[in-house]
Amino acid sequence: MTAAHLEHQDHAHAHGPACGHRSMVHGDHVDYVHDGHLHREHSGHWDECEPGEHIAHSGHVHEHGEGCGHPAVAHGDHVDYVHEGHRHAAHDGHWDDH
């Protein structure tokens, strides 16, 4: 998965284990949920961790929703579900990898 490099401007808050924001391992880094989007540290600044392309998660038979057992994270105008080290979002009748 390719992530767009979108630097989060004016982000004075330093994320870390005690910052109070939900964190999750995402591939080779850690994302922090903050204000409806996800941040990752990159070269001394914070980037928005957003996929650079549409990636459908094929073969995903599990339906996410309230009570599914996976953490729900508000992300922009939708909800992501953290599952197996990545985030799933409902999209046009299937699940996308975020």
Side-chain angles (χ1 to χ4, degrees), residues 15-86:
H15 293 292
C19 74
H21 295 110
R22 173 177 259 158
S23 65
M24 65 191 79
V25 175
H26 185 210
D28 64 352
H29 62 274
V30 174
D31 286 340
Y32 290 90
V33 181
H34 186 191
D35 295 336
H37 46 135
L38 292 107
H39 297 161
R40 66 178 281 188
E41 187 173 18
H42 176 253
S43 298
H45 62 269
W46 293 93
D47 285 349
E48 304 290 344
C49 189
E50 298 298 333
E53 57 191 84
H54 175 235
I55 301 172
H57 185 84
S58 60
H60 189 71
V61 296
H62 177 77
E63 289 295 319
H64 293 292
E66 191 171 330
C68 75
H70 297 111
V73 176
H75 183 206
D77 63 353
H78 64 276
V79 174
D80 287 347
Y81 292 90
V82 181
H83 184 208
E84 297 177 353
H86 49 124

